[in-house]
């Protein structure tokens, strides 16, 4: 039986509700969409995995408001049911000096925690972003209501010029970093 991984590409297409951050002409929702597609393709090319994405096309819109948009993602993963849930995002801060990668989990000392450490290291090793550590946030909807180990990956800061360049040019490498982390978590090579 393949390991079922649900990839949630954060936010909805531009022009709808639940859209993401936007800096320097880059849109979080477009970057998360593409990284999710790359990652799903990598996983589905390996018979040990089966991947599904929340937004299979660039036009897919989930939910009718912010809350139902998040609820629909969680519902898709719970209903499948996925073995792991990975939500992909890009961060932003009004302090444009802040940069780096963070992976959020619901609580420590869980499978989600061990997976998060590997995904974080995988991205940092592959893309060269700063390691901001695994962080706990028990109020994030998709971490709270998913029934399987869940990670929310903040790949890098759109608001930081150096990170923004990576988010624009290295989308395949971000996917590769997450993929590497997943492989290391399972002890695959
Ligand atoms: Zn986001």
């Amino acid at each position: 039986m393949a390991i079922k991984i649900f990839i949630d590409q954060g936010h909805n297409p531009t022009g709808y509700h639940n859209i993401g951050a936007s800096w320097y002409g880059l849109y979080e929702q477009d970057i998360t969409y593409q990284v999710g597609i790359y990652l799903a393709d990598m996983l589905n090319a390996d018979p040990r995995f089966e991947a599904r994405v929340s937004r299979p096309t660039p036009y897919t819109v989930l939910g009718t408001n912010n809350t139902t948009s998040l609820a629909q993602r969680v519902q898709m993963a719970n209903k499948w049911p996925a073995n792991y849930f990975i939500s992909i995002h890009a961060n932003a801060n009004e302090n444009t000096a802040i940069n780096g990668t963070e992976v959020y989990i619901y609580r420590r000392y869980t499978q989600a925690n061990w997976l998060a450490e590997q995904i974080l290291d995988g991205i940092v090793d592959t893309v060269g972003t700063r390691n901001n550590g695994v962080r706990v946030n028990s109020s994030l909807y998709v971490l709270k209501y998913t029934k399987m180990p869940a990670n929310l990956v903040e790949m890098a800061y759109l608001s930081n010029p150096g990170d923004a360049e990576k988010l624009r040019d290295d989308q395949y490498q971000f996917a590769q970093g997450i993929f590497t982390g997943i492989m290391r978590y399972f002890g695959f090579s």
Side-chain angles (χ1 to χ4, degrees):
M1 279 265 284
I3 299 158
K4 296 188 283 183
I5 300 192
F6 189 87
I7 300 160
D8 172 36
Q9 301 129 302
H11 306 285
N12 270 329
T14 306
Y16 294 90
H17 52 277
N18 187 22
I19 59 158
S22 168
W23 283 76
Y24 312 119
L26 299 171
Y27 296 87
E28 181 185 357
Q29 55 269 21
D30 298 341
I31 298 165
T32 63
Y33 168 77
Q34 191 55 54
V35 172
I37 294 294
Y38 285 143
L39 178 59
D41 286 349
M42 289 172 196
L43 288 165
N44 283 324
D46 186 320
R48 294 173 290 197
F49 296 103
E50 186 186 349
R52 287 186 190 174
V53 293
S54 58
R55 289 195 283 142
T57 81
Y59 316 105
T60 308
V61 177
L62 297 168
T64 51
N65 59 47
N66 271 13
T67 311
T68 58
S69 179
L70 298 174
Q72 201 175 329
R73 297 158 203 265
V74 167
Q75 203 175 33
M76 288 164 87
N78 286 346
K79 207 176 159 193
W80 184 6
N83 300 121
Y84 293 87
F85 180 97
I86 298 169
S87 190
I88 298 173
H89 288 258
N91 223 332
N93 194 291
E94 56 186 30
N95 178 355
T96 59
I98 293 177
N99 66 92
T101 307
E102 294 130 42
V103 181
Y104 286 88
I105 54 171
Y106 185 72
R107 71 165 80 89
R108 297 233 181 250
Y109 312 116
T110 55
Q111 290 305 318
N113 193 162
W114 318 136
L115 176 63
E117 284 179 3
Q118 297 299 335
I119 288 178
L120 179 61
D121 287 351
I123 292 175
V124 169
D125 291 352
T126 309
V127 188
T129 47
R130 181 191 147 99
N131 187 334
N132 290 338
V134 172
R135 297 180 179 178
V136 171
N137 187 332
S138 55
S139 62
L140 291 171
Y141 188 100
V142 297
L143 300 183
K144 193 169 179 179
Y145 294 105
T146 40
K147 291 177 178 162
M148 66 291 302
N151 285 181
L152 189 147
V153 180
E154 293 283 5
M155 297 183 288
Y157 280 78
L158 266 174
S159 44
N160 173 265
D163 272 14
E165 211 172 272
K166 292 184 171 81
L167 287 164
R168 184 192 64 199
D169 299 337
D170 303 340
Q171 292 170 12
Y172 189 81
Q173 285 85 346
F174 276 103
Q176 215 161 30
I178 299 171
F179 180 72
T180 298
I182 294 169
M183 295 291 278
R184 288 181 188 164
Y185 167 80
F186 287 107
F188 297 162
S189 53

